[in-house]
Amino acid sequence: MHDPALWASWYLWLLAVPALVIGTLIRDWIQRKQPVRLRKRR
């Protein structure tokens, strides 16, 4: 019953979800640190 591939996928999901959240938070923080003039080229 204990499938290593299933456990690996579960661990990947459990690690990927917080990694995505932290990645988006860091990206948003970096964009907030940068001046708005650099982000919007109009």
Side-chain angles (χ1 to χ4, degrees):
M1 272 297 186
H2 289 284
D3 195 5
L6 189 71
W7 281 105
S9 63
W10 265 106
Y11 266 95
L12 277 173
W13 269 108
L14 286 172
L15 287 174
V17 172
L20 276 170
V21 174
I22 292 170
T24 48
L25 282 172
I26 289 172
R27 190 190 301 169
D28 189 45
W29 178 68
I30 288 172
Q31 285 184 1
R32 281 185 184 178
K33 276 195 72 176
Q34 287 179 352
V36 185
R37 294 175 186 173
L38 286 176
R39 301 304 303 173
K40 297 180 180 178
R41 290 183 177 180
R42 278 192 176 180

